Amino acid sequence: MTSYTLLSAAKINLYLEIIGSRPDGFHEMAMVMQSVDLCDRITLTKTSMPVRRLNCDHPQVPTDSSNLALKAVDLLTNKFPELANRGVEITIEKNIPVGAGLAGGSGNAAATLIGLNLLWQLGLTQIELEELSAQLGSDIPFCIRGGTAIATGRGEVLDPIPSLTDLYVVLAKYESISVSTPWAYKTYRAEFNHRYTDISNSATLEERQKRVHAGPMVTAIHHKDNVAIGSHLYNDLERVVLPAHEKVMQLRHSMASYGGLGTMMSGSGPTVFTLAATQQAADDIMTKVRTGLPTADLKLWSTRCTATGIRLES
Ligand code: ATP
C-alpha cells in the first residue's frame, strides 16, 4: 500500500487528580481516560522523494515541524536512522477542536505512529509504539491504546479497565476560547501545591496509586454503573481554569442543570462534557444547551464513548 487513512479519537478525562510534583518537572497524575467517537481523519501517503509534508484544513494547526504528527515522524526517524531517506505526505482533516483538552494533537501523533508502522512496514508492536510515543507526549500512549484506562505517572503508565461504550457524551466548547495545557498546570502548581502528596517516598506513591485503582470511579466503571460514573466525575484543573474563564464556568453550570448523569471539564479545558445514558438523552441535552446559550461561538457535539483510539478507515 502507498497510502493509509486513519481516524484518531478525542479523549475526555472521567477523573483527573494531580497527586504531586515530580523531580523531572512534570506532575504525578491519577486519571481515568476515555476515548470518544469524535475523530480527526489522517491520511499518510508515501512520496518518492525523502520529504515530509503536512496539510491541515484548520487555521490554528501548524503545518511546520512543530505539528505533533511531524514530530512523530521525526521520533521514528531518530530512533531508526535508516528511515531518513523515506518520505511521507500527511493530510489532517480536523474535526476535534484545537486547544480544547481533548488531546486532538496527541491523537494525530498516535495515528501517525500507527500509520507509519504500516506504511513503512516497521513491524513494531503496539507496546513498542506506546513506549516510544511517551517521549513525545504524556497522552499519546493512551491515544494509541484507546478505550478506557487508568493513567498514572505523567499519564503514560496505563492500566486497562473494561471499555465503556454504552455511555453517551455531549461536548461543548466556545470556539473563541482555548486553554494552554502548560499554563493550566503551571497555575495549579503556583496556587495549589499545598495539596500535593510527597511522592519522593515510593511507599506513599504506591499507596496513592492503589487508592485510585480501588476508588469509586474505577469501581463504577467495573460495574458499568453509568449513574455512579456520572456522580464521581472529578477534575483538579477546574480549580484554575473555571475562575479564569467566567463563560466556561457558566457553561458548566448550565450543562449540569439539564438532567445528564454528570458534567465536568475535560483535561485542561475549556471543553465541558455531560454524560447521558442514551443517544436520545444526549441529543436532548444538546438541544437544551443550544437553546439556553444561543451563540454561534458555542460548538456542540453529541457523541459516545468508544473502545478504540485509532482505527483504520474501512
Ligand atoms: P492536550 O489535552 O493533549 O493538552 P489539547 O486538546 O488541549 O491537548 P491540542 O488540540 O492537541 O490541545 O492542541 C494544542 C496545541 O498544539 C495547538 O494550539 C496547536 O498549536 C499545537 N498542535 C501541534 N500539532 C497539532 C495537531 N496535529 N493538532 C492540533 N494541534 C496541534
Side-chain angles (χ1 to χ4, degrees):
M1 292 274 282
T2 56
S3 181
Y4 284 94
T5 297
L6 303 100
L7 298 175
S8 67
K11 67 87 192 144
I12 55 172
N13 299 86
L14 298 175
Y15 186 90
L16 186 159
E17 190 182 348
I18 300 176
I19 292 183
S21 201
R22 294 162 51 110
D24 61 9
F26 287 92
H27 282 98
E28 182 68 31
M29 306 296 297
M31 299 189 282
V32 177
M33 319 270 270
Q34 173 64 56
S35 304
V36 294
D37 204 7
L38 170 67
C39 299
D40 289 339
R41 191 163 177 266
I42 292 117
T43 301
L44 305 179
T45 307
K46 260 187 203 165
T47 57
S48 51
M49 303 294 283
V51 288
R52 283 91 199 267
R53 274 194 299 264
L54 185 136
N55 316 296
C56 182
D57 57 357
H58 195 297
Q60 277 170 268
V61 175
T63 52
D64 62 9
S65 59
S66 67
N67 191 293
L68 279 164
L70 285 178
K71 285 190 176 179
V73 182
D74 288 343
L75 181 73
L76 273 180
T77 314
N78 290 338
K79 170 97 179 151
F80 304 105
E82 64 274 20
L83 300 175
N85 62 355
R86 309 259 183 114
V88 64
E89 172 148 14
I90 302 175
T91 303
I92 302 177
E93 289 170 44
K94 260 294 168 204
N95 299 307
I96 303 171
V98 176
L102 299 173
S106 298
N108 295 170
T112 302
L113 290 172
I114 291 177
L116 284 181
N117 194 34
L118 296 168
L119 193 71
W120 290 348
Q121 300 180 318
L122 305 177
L124 297 169
T125 63
Q126 182 180 315
I127 296 293
E128 286 170 329
L129 287 173
E130 286 179 12
E131 277 174 13
L132 187 63
S133 75
Q135 295 173 26
L136 195 54
S138 307
D139 284 351
I140 307 178
F142 171 75
C143 292
I144 291 177
R145 190 170 302 190
T148 313
I150 302 170
T152 51
R154 292 185 279 122
E156 86 290 14
V157 180
L158 301 176
D159 286 307
I161 35 178
S163 284
L164 295 168
T165 48
D166 226 6
L167 184 57
Y168 298 80
V169 187
V170 180
L171 300 169
K173 178 185 180 284
Y174 282 106
E175 201 165 28
S176 60
I177 304 177
S178 287
V179 173
S180 145
T181 304
W183 169 84
Y185 280 94
K186 208 174 73 192
T187 309
Y188 188 91
R189 189 194 299 272
E191 291 182 27
F192 294 104
N193 62 9
H194 57 273
R195 296 168 55 91
Y196 287 177
T197 299
D198 175 15
I199 59 161
S200 59
N201 177 332
S202 61
T204 315
L205 178 57
E206 212 173 292
E207 156 59 26
R208 275 305 283 101
Q209 290 174 341
K210 269 197 203 134
R211 255 197 274 160
V212 180
H213 284 74
M217 173 56 82
V218 173
T219 305
I221 292 171
H222 277 293
H223 292 153
K224 299 232 182 293
D225 182 345
N226 288 347
V227 172
I229 292 168
S231 65
H232 289 107
L233 296 172
Y234 183 79
N235 185 349
D236 266 336
L237 290 173
E238 285 198 338
R239 293 172 199 278
V240 291
V241 177
L242 296 184
H245 296 279
E246 178 66 25
K247 277 172 79 176
V248 182
M249 174 104 79
Q250 282 166 4
L251 171 66
R252 191 200 183 293
H253 284 315
S254 325
M255 286 181 74
S257 70
Y258 294 135
L261 300 171
T263 296
M264 189 60 45
M265 187 182 81
S266 179
S268 53
T271 303
V272 175
F273 67 88
T274 293
L275 300 181
T278 63
Q279 182 72 64
Q280 185 59 53
D283 292 348
D284 289 348
I285 291 167
M286 191 167 82
T287 305
K288 285 179 187 161
V289 182
R290 210 188 288 287
T291 312
L293 296 164
T295 157
D297 191 33
L298 183 61
K299 301 296 171 203
L300 296 163
W301 297 263
S302 175
T303 181
R304 65 184 295 171
C305 295
T306 170
T308 333
I310 308 295
R311 61 182 195 268
L312 271 177
E313 196 176 60
S314 49

